[in-house]
Amino acid sequence: GAGPRPGRAGRELAVRWAWRDLGIGLAFGVGGLVLTIPAAVIWASQIGSDDATSALGEAFGGRQLHPIAAVIVFVMVWLVAPLSEEVIFRGALWRALEHWRWNRWLIFAATSVVFSVAHLELLRTPLLLVLSIPIGLARMVTGNLLAGVVAHQVNNFLPAVALLLATTGSLP
């Protein structure tokens, strides 16, 4: 990292608190839902409903959890996983590519592809790429990791709710 030690992590990850960037992340997250819901329907129709699942869906499919465990899984999928993934892909990787003076559009494309492939779900890679676009755009437009984190958390909210309902037996 560059510069003085105090505040280095925030500078290197390009994260700062800004209500405007939070709002932009929220807007990109909602826009991402508008984009990814139809994309998911198209993707599922192309690969078949038997294969239209995720590693997380397979791990918890048909399992009923204690309500506290189900809530923990919900929070992990909704808030923690997006935060962790964004710190890696649109924090550390993005900033490394900026330090190498890559073009911001190339950085956006590279981090989106790496994000999609890093999930190690070959069938879902195209869908993850579609999901990655609004998240990466939120990061690129604001220059703030916070916007990407919020956009990702908005995008994970509905699957997290579905997982919560399924693991508590409220949804088949």
Side-chain angles (χ1 to χ4, degrees), residues 4 24 26 43 70 77 87 90 92 99 101 110 114 127 148 150 155 161-162:
I24 290 171
L26 204 60
W43 171 77
V77 170
V87 165
R90 291 182 190 87
H99 284 300
R101 304 201 187 287
V114 171
L127 181 60
V150 170
N155 208 290
V161 168

Side-chain angles (χ1 to χ4, degrees), residues 36-106:
T36 57
I37 290 172
V41 170
I42 293 167
W43 171 77
S45 72
Q46 293 298 310
I47 68 158
S49 59
D50 290 343
D51 292 325
T53 186
S54 67
L56 198 58
E58 288 180 17
F60 289 101
R63 296 183 72 190
Q64 191 158 351
L65 301 176
H66 186 279
I68 293 172
V71 168
I72 291 169
V73 169
F74 168 76
V75 169
M76 295 297 287
V77 170
W78 176 37
L79 299 174
V80 178
L83 174 64
S84 303
E85 290 175 353
E86 292 308 309
V87 165
I88 293 167
F89 299 110
R90 291 182 190 87
L93 179 58
W94 189 293
R95 290 294 285 164
L97 298 176
E98 282 181 333
H99 284 300
W100 291 344
R101 304 201 187 287
W102 283 29
N103 173 286
R104 68 188 195 130
W105 286 100
L106 191 55

Side-chain angles (χ1 to χ4, degrees), residues 121-140:
E121 296 180 71
L122 185 59
L123 279 176
R124 284 188 65 224
T125 298
L127 181 60
L128 289 165
L129 186 57
V130 170
L131 174 135
S132 183
I133 291 169
I135 297 168
L137 286 173
R139 166 64 171 89
M140 187 172 71

